[in-house]
Amino acid sequence: MAKISIEISKGPAAVQLPVNPVALIGSMVDGKPDFATVAAIGSVAHNPPALVTSLQPHRYSLKGIRQNMIFSVNIPSFDQMKESDYCGTVSGANTDKVKDCHFDIFYGKSDKAPLITQCPVNHALEVIEILNLQSHFMVVGRIVETFVSDDCMTNGKLDIDKVKPFLFVSRKYYSMGHYVADNSTIWKEIKLK
Ligand SMILES: Cc1cc2nc3c(=O)[nH]c(=O)nc-3n(C[C@H](O)[C@H](O)[C@H](O)COP(=O)(O)O)c2cc1C
């Protein structure tokens, strides 16, 4: 198999890998809840648990994160794909996305991290750091609370097949696919010599 080198100047959009589900970043901007859709989201630590996301400097939602240093990450199911696309297309500076999308909002311990009931997974996070990466600010957040919809659980565990997260790759949405193998057994198929 041959490999081709992709020019860095063409940017990450040239090779955008489907590594994380689409998420809705919630923040309170001037006292009003706002949600921005992101593809740039990643789980980066588990004890204590932390996530990163990256927002362009002019995002209205980033203003709210900076105001309160608290935000939320809501994982939509593909049942909320239309709403997610909407929240990634219009700005909270010009409209009330909660009203437009008929989101039912709830709060955990902080009234500065709005959470969306319709999204099966919700995290409230405190900002650890905001890094300036020029085109984006990378927000590192510590997860302080997590909520899941009870109808997405199977035998006491979160069931991804019920959550139905989706991906955004090269301006198209994809479902996550299906369970393939268990990571504690698949490696045994390679014989170590
Ligand atoms: C699927 C999708 C993924 C997106 N990912 C990001 C992202 O990772 N970072 C970002 O700054 N904007 C991203 N956007 C664009 C913002 O969501 C969009 O500009 C939104 O209107 C910002 O809302 P706000 O102005 O209320 O913060 C994405 C949009 C879509 C539709």
Short mmCIF file of all heavy atoms in Angstrom, two decimals, residues 124-163:
data_model
loop_
_atom_site.label_atom_id
_atom_site.label_comp_id
_atom_site.label_asym_id
_atom_site.label_seq_id
_atom_site.Cartn_x
_atom_site.Cartn_y
_atom_site.Cartn_z
N ALA A 124 -21.34 18.42 33.55
CA ALA A 124 -21.06 19.80 33.97
C ALA A 124 -19.56 19.84 34.25
O ALA A 124 -19.02 18.90 34.87
CB ALA A 124 -21.85 20.15 35.22
N LEU A 125 -18.90 20.89 33.79
CA LEU A 125 -17.44 20.96 33.91
C LEU A 125 -16.97 22.30 34.44
O LEU A 125 -17.57 23.35 34.14
CB LEU A 125 -16.75 20.74 32.54
CG LEU A 125 -17.07 19.45 31.83
CD1 LEU A 125 -18.16 19.65 30.80
CD2 LEU A 125 -15.84 18.88 31.16
N GLU A 126 -15.87 22.25 35.19
CA GLU A 126 -15.19 23.47 35.60
C GLU A 126 -13.98 23.65 34.70
O GLU A 126 -13.29 22.67 34.40
CB GLU A 126 -14.69 23.33 37.04
CG GLU A 126 -15.82 23.39 38.06
CD GLU A 126 -15.38 23.01 39.46
OE1 GLU A 126 -14.18 22.72 39.67
OE2 GLU A 126 -16.25 23.00 40.34
N VAL A 127 -13.72 24.87 34.30
CA VAL A 127 -12.57 25.13 33.42
C VAL A 127 -11.27 24.98 34.20
O VAL A 127 -11.10 25.58 35.25
CB VAL A 127 -12.65 26.55 32.80
CG1 VAL A 127 -11.39 26.87 32.00
CG2 VAL A 127 -13.88 26.67 31.91
N ILE A 128 -10.37 24.16 33.66
CA ILE A 128 -9.03 24.03 34.25
C ILE A 128 -8.10 25.04 33.58
O ILE A 128 -7.28 25.70 34.21
CB ILE A 128 -8.45 22.61 34.01
CG1 ILE A 128 -9.34 21.55 34.66
CG2 ILE A 128 -7.02 22.51 34.52
CD1 ILE A 128 -8.93 20.12 34.33
N GLU A 129 -8.25 25.15 32.26
CA GLU A 129 -7.36 26.01 31.50
C GLU A 129 -7.97 26.35 30.15
O GLU A 129 -8.72 25.53 29.59
CB GLU A 129 -6.03 25.27 31.28
CG GLU A 129 -4.92 26.19 30.93
CD GLU A 129 -3.53 25.64 31.26
OE1 GLU A 129 -3.39 24.74 32.09
OE2 GLU A 129 -2.61 26.16 30.63
N ILE A 130 -7.64 27.51 29.62
CA ILE A 130 -8.03 27.85 28.25
C ILE A 130 -6.74 28.20 27.49
O ILE A 130 -6.03 29.14 27.86
CB ILE A 130 -9.02 29.04 28.21
CG1 ILE A 130 -10.29 28.69 29.02
CG2 ILE A 130 -9.39 29.39 26.77
CD1 ILE A 130 -11.35 29.78 29.05
N LEU A 131 -6.44 27.40 26.48
CA LEU A 131 -5.19 27.59 25.72
C LEU A 131 -5.47 28.28 24.41
O LEU A 131 -6.40 27.90 23.69
CB LEU A 131 -4.57 26.23 25.39
CG LEU A 131 -4.00 25.40 26.53
CD1 LEU A 131 -3.48 24.07 26.00
CD2 LEU A 131 -2.87 26.18 27.19
N ASN A 132 -4.64 29.27 24.09
CA ASN A 132 -4.79 29.99 22.82
C ASN A 132 -4.07 29.23 21.71
O ASN A 132 -2.84 29.17 21.68
CB ASN A 132 -4.21 31.40 22.98
CG ASN A 132 -4.44 32.24 21.74
OD1 ASN A 132 -4.83 31.72 20.69
ND2 ASN A 132 -4.20 33.53 21.85
N LEU A 133 -4.84 28.62 20.79
CA LEU A 133 -4.24 27.89 19.67
C LEU A 133 -4.41 28.68 18.36
O LEU A 133 -4.43 28.11 17.28
CB LEU A 133 -4.88 26.50 19.54
CG LEU A 133 -4.82 25.59 20.77
CD1 LEU A 133 -5.51 24.28 20.52
CD2 LEU A 133 -3.36 25.35 21.17
N GLN A 134 -4.58 29.97 18.49
CA GLN A 134 -4.79 30.91 17.37
C GLN A 134 -6.16 30.79 16.72
O GLN A 134 -7.04 31.58 17.02
CB GLN A 134 -3.65 30.82 16.36
CG GLN A 134 -2.33 31.25 16.99
CD GLN A 134 -1.17 31.20 16.04
OE1 GLN A 134 -1.33 31.26 14.84
NE2 GLN A 134 0.03 31.11 16.57
N SER A 135 -6.38 29.80 15.86
CA SER A 135 -7.70 29.73 15.22
C SER A 135 -8.78 29.37 16.24
O SER A 135 -9.95 29.70 16.08
CB SER A 135 -7.72 28.70 14.09
OG SER A 135 -7.65 27.39 14.61
N HIS A 136 -8.38 28.66 17.31
CA HIS A 136 -9.31 28.19 18.33
C HIS A 136 -8.72 28.42 19.73
O HIS A 136 -7.50 28.49 19.89
CB HIS A 136 -9.58 26.68 18.19
CG HIS A 136 -10.43 26.32 17.01
ND1 HIS A 136 -10.00 26.47 15.71
CD2 HIS A 136 -11.68 25.80 16.95
CE1 HIS A 136 -10.96 26.06 14.89
NE2 HIS A 136 -12.00 25.66 15.62
N PHE A 137 -9.61 28.47 20.69
CA PHE A 137 -9.20 28.37 22.09
C PHE A 137 -9.57 26.98 22.57
O PHE A 137 -10.73 26.56 22.43
CB PHE A 137 -9.90 29.42 22.96
CG PHE A 137 -9.27 30.78 22.85
CD1 PHE A 137 -9.77 31.72 21.96
CD2 PHE A 137 -8.16 31.10 23.61
CE1 PHE A 137 -9.17 32.97 21.84
CE2 PHE A 137 -7.56 32.35 23.50
CZ PHE A 137 -8.07 33.28 22.61
N MET A 138 -8.59 26.25 23.09
CA MET A 138 -8.87 24.91 23.60
C MET A 138 -9.22 25.01 25.08
O MET A 138 -8.44 25.53 25.89
CB MET A 138 -7.66 24.00 23.43
CG MET A 138 -7.99 22.57 23.82
SD MET A 138 -6.61 21.46 23.47
CE MET A 138 -5.74 21.56 25.01
N VAL A 139 -10.41 24.57 25.40
CA VAL A 139 -10.90 24.65 26.78
C VAL A 139 -10.73 23.27 27.42
O VAL A 139 -11.26 22.28 26.92
CB VAL A 139 -12.39 25.06 26.81
CG1 VAL A 139 -12.88 25.19 28.24
CG2 VAL A 139 -12.61 26.37 26.04
N VAL A 140 -9.96 23.22 28.49
CA VAL A 140 -9.79 21.97 29.23
C VAL A 140 -10.72 22.03 30.43
O VAL A 140 -10.66 22.99 31.21
CB VAL A 140 -8.33 21.79 29.72
CG1 VAL A 140 -8.14 20.41 30.34
CG2 VAL A 140 -7.35 22.01 28.58
N GLY A 141 -11.59 21.05 30.56
CA GLY A 141 -12.57 21.09 31.64
C GLY A 141 -12.55 19.84 32.50
O GLY A 141 -12.36 18.73 31.99
N ARG A 142 -12.69 20.03 33.80
CA ARG A 142 -12.81 18.89 34.71
C ARG A 142 -14.29 18.56 34.89
O ARG A 142 -15.09 19.45 35.21
CB ARG A 142 -12.18 19.25 36.06
CG ARG A 142 -12.41 18.19 37.14
CD ARG A 142 -11.39 18.29 38.24
NE ARG A 142 -10.06 18.06 37.67
CZ ARG A 142 -8.99 18.80 37.95
NH1 ARG A 142 -9.08 19.80 38.78
NH2 ARG A 142 -7.84 18.53 37.39
N ILE A 143 -14.64 17.32 34.66
CA ILE A 143 -16.04 16.91 34.81
C ILE A 143 -16.37 16.85 36.30
O ILE A 143 -15.73 16.13 37.06
CB ILE A 143 -16.28 15.53 34.16
CG1 ILE A 143 -16.00 15.59 32.66
CG2 ILE A 143 -17.71 15.05 34.42
CD1 ILE A 143 -16.11 14.26 31.93
N VAL A 144 -17.38 17.64 36.70
CA VAL A 144 -17.75 17.63 38.11
C VAL A 144 -19.08 16.91 38.35
O VAL A 144 -19.36 16.49 39.47
CB VAL A 144 -17.79 19.07 38.70
CG1 VAL A 144 -16.37 19.62 38.82
CG2 VAL A 144 -18.65 20.02 37.87
N GLU A 145 -19.88 16.77 37.30
CA GLU A 145 -21.15 16.03 37.43
C GLU A 145 -21.48 15.40 36.09
O GLU A 145 -21.22 16.00 35.03
CB GLU A 145 -22.29 16.98 37.77
CG GLU A 145 -22.40 17.34 39.22
CD GLU A 145 -23.57 18.27 39.44
OE1 GLU A 145 -23.50 19.42 38.95
OE2 GLU A 145 -24.55 17.86 40.06
N THR A 146 -22.09 14.22 36.14
CA THR A 146 -22.53 13.54 34.91
C THR A 146 -23.95 13.02 35.11
O THR A 146 -24.27 12.49 36.19
CB THR A 146 -21.58 12.37 34.58
OG1 THR A 146 -20.28 12.90 34.29
CG2 THR A 146 -22.05 11.59 33.36
N PHE A 147 -24.76 13.20 34.10
CA PHE A 147 -26.14 12.69 34.12
C PHE A 147 -26.36 11.87 32.86
O PHE A 147 -25.84 12.20 31.79
CB PHE A 147 -27.15 13.85 34.14
CG PHE A 147 -26.99 14.77 35.32
CD1 PHE A 147 -26.12 15.86 35.26
CD2 PHE A 147 -27.68 14.54 36.50
CE1 PHE A 147 -25.96 16.71 36.35
CE2 PHE A 147 -27.52 15.38 37.59
CZ PHE A 147 -26.67 16.46 37.52
N VAL A 148 -27.13 10.80 32.98
CA VAL A 148 -27.49 10.03 31.79
C VAL A 148 -28.99 9.75 31.83
O VAL A 148 -29.59 9.66 32.92
CB VAL A 148 -26.71 8.69 31.68
CG1 VAL A 148 -25.23 8.93 31.53
CG2 VAL A 148 -26.98 7.78 32.85
N SER A 149 -29.60 9.63 30.67
CA SER A 149 -31.04 9.33 30.61
C SER A 149 -31.23 7.87 31.02
O SER A 149 -30.51 6.99 30.52
CB SER A 149 -31.57 9.54 29.20
OG SER A 149 -31.34 10.86 28.81
N ASP A 150 -32.18 7.62 31.91
CA ASP A 150 -32.33 6.25 32.43
C ASP A 150 -32.71 5.25 31.35
O ASP A 150 -32.39 4.07 31.45
CB ASP A 150 -33.29 6.20 33.63
CG ASP A 150 -34.67 6.77 33.30
OD1 ASP A 150 -34.90 7.19 32.15
OD2 ASP A 150 -35.52 6.79 34.22
N ASP A 151 -33.33 5.71 30.27
CA ASP A 151 -33.70 4.77 29.21
C ASP A 151 -32.51 4.41 28.30
O ASP A 151 -32.66 3.69 27.33
CB ASP A 151 -34.89 5.29 28.38
CG ASP A 151 -34.60 6.63 27.71
OD1 ASP A 151 -33.50 7.18 27.90
OD2 ASP A 151 -35.48 7.13 26.99
N CYS A 152 -31.32 4.93 28.64
CA CYS A 152 -30.11 4.58 27.88
C CYS A 152 -29.22 3.64 28.67
O CYS A 152 -28.04 3.44 28.33
CB CYS A 152 -29.33 5.84 27.51
SG CYS A 152 -30.18 6.81 26.26
N MET A 153 -29.76 3.08 29.74
CA MET A 153 -28.98 2.16 30.57
C MET A 153 -29.41 0.73 30.29
O MET A 153 -30.58 0.46 30.02
CB MET A 153 -29.22 2.45 32.06
CG MET A 153 -28.91 3.88 32.48
SD MET A 153 -27.16 4.26 32.47
CE MET A 153 -26.65 3.48 34.01
N THR A 154 -28.45 -0.20 30.36
CA THR A 154 -28.74 -1.63 30.29
C THR A 154 -27.94 -2.30 31.41
O THR A 154 -26.72 -2.11 31.48
CB THR A 154 -28.33 -2.23 28.92
OG1 THR A 154 -29.06 -1.52 27.90
CG2 THR A 154 -28.67 -3.71 28.83
N ASN A 155 -28.62 -3.01 32.26
CA ASN A 155 -27.98 -3.68 33.42
C ASN A 155 -27.08 -2.73 34.21
O ASN A 155 -25.94 -3.06 34.54
CB ASN A 155 -27.18 -4.90 32.97
CG ASN A 155 -28.06 -5.93 32.30
OD1 ASN A 155 -29.25 -6.06 32.65
ND2 ASN A 155 -27.53 -6.64 31.32
N GLY A 156 -27.56 -1.52 34.45
CA GLY A 156 -26.83 -0.56 35.27
C GLY A 156 -25.68 0.14 34.57
O GLY A 156 -24.93 0.90 35.19
N LYS A 157 -25.49 -0.12 33.26
CA LYS A 157 -24.38 0.53 32.54
C LYS A 157 -24.92 1.33 31.36
O LYS A 157 -25.92 0.93 30.74
CB LYS A 157 -23.42 -0.52 32.00
CG LYS A 157 -22.54 -1.10 33.07
CD LYS A 157 -21.43 -1.91 32.44
CE LYS A 157 -20.47 -2.38 33.51
NZ LYS A 157 -19.67 -3.51 33.06
N LEU A 158 -24.18 2.41 31.01
CA LEU A 158 -24.58 3.21 29.86
C LEU A 158 -24.47 2.35 28.61
O LEU A 158 -23.45 1.69 28.38
CB LEU A 158 -23.66 4.43 29.74
CG LEU A 158 -24.05 5.43 28.67
CD1 LEU A 158 -25.35 6.13 29.04
CD2 LEU A 158 -22.94 6.46 28.49
N ASP A 159 -25.54 2.34 27.80
CA ASP A 159 -25.59 1.49 26.61
C ASP A 159 -25.47 2.40 25.37
O ASP A 159 -26.41 3.12 25.01
CB ASP A 159 -26.93 0.74 26.62
CG ASP A 159 -27.02 -0.30 25.52
OD1 ASP A 159 -26.33 -0.14 24.50
OD2 ASP A 159 -27.80 -1.26 25.70
N ILE A 160 -24.30 2.37 24.72
CA ILE A 160 -24.03 3.27 23.59
C ILE A 160 -25.03 3.05 22.45
O ILE A 160 -25.41 3.98 21.74
CB ILE A 160 -22.57 3.11 23.11
CG1 ILE A 160 -21.60 3.63 24.18
CG2 ILE A 160 -22.30 3.85 21.80
CD1 ILE A 160 -21.73 5.12 24.50
N ASP A 161 -25.50 1.81 22.29
CA ASP A 161 -26.48 1.53 21.23
C ASP A 161 -27.79 2.29 21.50
O ASP A 161 -28.54 2.58 20.57
CB ASP A 161 -26.78 0.03 21.13
CG ASP A 161 -25.62 -0.72 20.50
OD1 ASP A 161 -24.84 -0.08 19.77
OD2 ASP A 161 -25.48 -1.93 20.76
N LYS A 162 -28.05 2.60 22.75
CA LYS A 162 -29.26 3.37 23.08
C LYS A 162 -28.99 4.87 23.02
O LYS A 162 -29.88 5.65 22.71
CB LYS A 162 -29.77 2.97 24.46
CG LYS A 162 -30.31 1.55 24.52
CD LYS A 162 -30.82 1.21 25.90
CE LYS A 162 -31.39 -0.20 25.93
NZ LYS A 162 -31.68 -0.64 27.30
N VAL A 163 -27.75 5.27 23.32
CA VAL A 163 -27.39 6.70 23.26
C VAL A 163 -27.43 7.18 21.81
O VAL A 163 -27.89 8.27 21.52
CB VAL A 163 -25.99 6.94 23.87
CG1 VAL A 163 -25.54 8.39 23.67
CG2 VAL A 163 -25.99 6.60 25.36
#
